[in-house]
Amino acid sequence: MTSPDLIIVGAGSAGCMMACRLRALTDLNVMVVEPPSAEAPPIDRQRPSRWMKLIESDENWNHTTGPNIGLANRKLAWPRGRGIGGSSRINAMIWFSPTESDFDSWAEASGGRHSIADWRNAALATEAMIQPESPRYLSESSESFLAAAKDLDGATPMVYRRFNRQGRRLDLTPMLSGCTVVRATVDRILWDSDRAMGVSVMKDGATVDLVSRLGVILCGGAIATPTILQRSGVGNPSDLLTHGIDVRIPRPLVGQQLQDHLVMPVIFKTRAKKIFRLNPPLRDVARWQMLGTGQVASNVAECGGLFGDGRFQLHVTPTNYLTFPTPSEVAVMTIAVNLTQPLSQGQIGLGGVDPTKPALIQSNYFADARDAESLAGGVQMARAIAARDPLANFIIDEVLPGTRRSDVQAITKSMSRYAQTLYHPVGTCRMCRRNDSVVDAEFRVRDSTGLWAVDASVLPGLPLGNPTASVMTMAYLAADQIARDTHISHGI
Ligand SMILES: Cc1cc2nc3c(=O)[nH]c(=O)nc-3n(C[C@H](O)[C@H](O)[C@H](O)COP(=O)(O)OP(=O)(O)OC[C@H]3O[C@@H](n4cnc5c(N)ncnc54)[C@H](O)[C@@H]3O)c2cc1C
């Protein structure tokens, strides 16, 4: 195999966009390394309403957090996608375009290196490539919610557009066209002094060194990118020494500043005529196959939006958020609520030097007590929307937290037992102009040569909404930067 110019680690949302843009902008020889994976059953891949079954498949890395003191010591399952497309293979397919507030904070983090207009243009170009679709079906729950939330102060109710092509999950494989794809698991970076020369991978049970001419771009996501750096000697010196790893680049913030959206479901019994089912009657399947509509076309999280002047995001599902896809015999709906900008931060660390050992995830939800208090306010807001017509007539009663849990203290207790991850970890190798950041404004890992990182780990904080569009926007913009850095680009 001839040595590539660049190696991209991880063919996820960022990695696929990075590969596609580098091929479009340059004549570089690009290799993409993605671990081997098994395909989920076709029925779960094809039907949007069955996407949650993908979490039970081998396309999930199946991470688990450590105990969360703020969540009654619960450990949460943290799915991450494995295979071409990464987490976009198993996610809920919501396409939430980055907001002006996101552009503002990213421009600020880059110290003006990338202006608000640069980010906005990258977002528009990304969207033009992906062409998110509007759904062809909304449940009664969603219709009632949208009618109730209309005209609410500080609210932007939305029907969520989807990462779909003709109603099916968008496959990112074509974005890798022209690249060499190697199915292997990256252990660590190969160094020549401070220069990244390639990666050491595990392939078919053997260790193989893959060497590149110009460098390595880490796109392994919020968990793998910091752990690959740590195994490569980039991180907090005392943590690295604990694992017997030689310190190559001291960067204490590698794996720190982890943030995620924690979501609290507010669940109601409803008068819906139809219960949302994982295995619907055959006529519903036929309707979806012929017309692309009906329950089967639903991604479950159909609508919601930003509320409370952007402090909260809501997610409306025609299901019991906590038990679906387990069948329910009563009609239910959920208005799930999360803080868009929580204050609590956690960290990712090594479970050992062996790359097959799971990472240690301290998600630290509610470590900052203000988050619990603010989210309790979001629960009250969801209830207030539920009390507006026509939702008030559609709802029979509240199942969770339950009307008897009315004050902040009781709601907080319920949240500690039932709040869940919304699957959005970011920020563990942030891009920032500050000298202590892991990645500089040009996406270079500081104090190294030929090493970049571009994925959810690099986001300077949580975007207001679901992050895929933000991650892909960042990869679009960073690819231009890296093409320029490598001086071989065409047309820029
Ligand atoms: C269940 C679920 C539902 C979600 N729903 C939504 C949603 O509806 N809308 C939305 O916007 N966001 C959603 N998200 C979040 C979104 O999918 C992620 O934020 C986004 O895909 C992150 O992109 P990324 O490129 O950083 O990482 P990923 O897309 O996860 O890509 C990382 C890639 O690196 C690979 N990798 C890992 N370790 C190694 C290694 N050692 N060597 C080589 N490669 C490696 C992985 O296999 C993966 O392919 C959801 C996520 C999940 C898990």
Side-chain angles (χ1 to χ4, degrees), residues 249 251 432-435 437-438 440 444-448:
I249 302 175
R251 279 280 137 200
C432 187
R433 67 193 158 140
R434 288 174 48 136
N435 288 336
S437 72
V438 178
D440 69 15
R444 292 183 290 239
V445 174
R446 286 186 189 273
D447 302 328
S448 72

Side-chain angles (χ1 to χ4, degrees), residues 12-14 34-35 61 79 86-87 91-94 186 220 224 423 455-456 466-468:
S13 310
E34 170 66 31
W61 282 92
S87 294
N91 72 13
M93 299 170 282
I94 295 167
V186 171
Y423 320 114
D455 55 26
N466 313 64
T468 304

Side-chain angles (χ1 to χ4, degrees), residues 8-15 33-35 51 55 60-61 78-96 184-187 219-222 224-225 228 231 299 301 355 422-426 454-457 465-471:
I8 296 176
V9 176
S13 310
V33 185
E34 170 66 31
W51 72 266
I55 296 178
N60 180 2
W61 282 92
W78 263 28
R80 294 283 91 197
R82 177 187 183 117
I84 309 297
S87 294
S88 82
R89 280 185 83 77
I90 65 166
N91 72 13
M93 299 170 282
I94 295 167
W95 185 262
F96 197 108
T185 303
V186 171
D187 174 6
C219 297
T225 287
I228 291 169
R231 286 196 296 273
N299 68 335
L422 198 57
Y423 320 114
H424 297 168
V426 304
V454 183
D455 55 26
S457 74
N466 313 64
T468 304
S470 295
V471 169

